[in-house]
Amino acid sequence: MKFTTLALSMVVGFVTVPALVTADEAMSSMPGMAAGQSVDAIESSGVITAIDHNNRKVTFKHKAIPELSWPPMTMGFSVDPNVDMKSVNTGDSVTFTLTPSKSGQKVTRIKKQ
Ligand SMILES: [Cu+2]
């Protein structure tokens, strides 16, 4: 139920942004996302299940992320250009930082545990 709400608010976000609304306004209009929460980085941890160097994507089997009302799951994220993706490998247990971006949560730090 919570996940459905989140998915729905992401769709609303995608529809709203092209209508020349700034990203900040779009984020603050998302239900359950207070202005302060939307800009905060989130720390989490998990195991890397896939790395796509060409497209700068990493898939984590991550633990629950209460800040986003996410249950534990396996999902892919875009990785910020500043992150050294070669310092980690598939199968590594890692901690990572997610930072909100226009296209969802982006990985801005990965560290092998
Ligand atoms: Cu997830």
Side-chain angles (χ1 to χ4, degrees), residues 15-107:
V15 171
T16 311
V17 171
L20 294 179
V21 177
T22 70
D24 279 350
E25 281 165 347
M27 290 297 278
S28 59
S29 71
M30 285 184 177
M33 270 194 170
Q37 282 179 310
S38 67
V39 295
D40 283 353
I42 294 162
E43 305 292 324
S44 188
S45 62
V47 175
I48 295 178
T49 61
I51 300 181
D52 180 347
H53 288 280
N54 290 336
N55 295 306
R56 294 198 64 83
K57 297 222 188 241
V58 168
T59 303
F60 298 112
K61 184 177 181 181
H62 69 72
K63 65 177 192 181
I65 303 179
E67 293 94 329
L68 298 170
S69 303
W70 284 0
M73 68 178 101
T74 300
M75 69 185 291
F77 293 94
S78 292
V79 179
D80 187 87
N82 295 322
V83 174
D84 176 16
M85 292 175 68
K86 295 206 165 76
S87 66
V88 291
N89 291 295
T90 302
D92 284 350
S93 290
V94 296
T95 60
F96 59 91
T97 302
L98 298 177
T99 304
S101 74
K102 263 184 273 185
S103 51
Q105 299 291 331
K106 182 176 69 173
V107 175

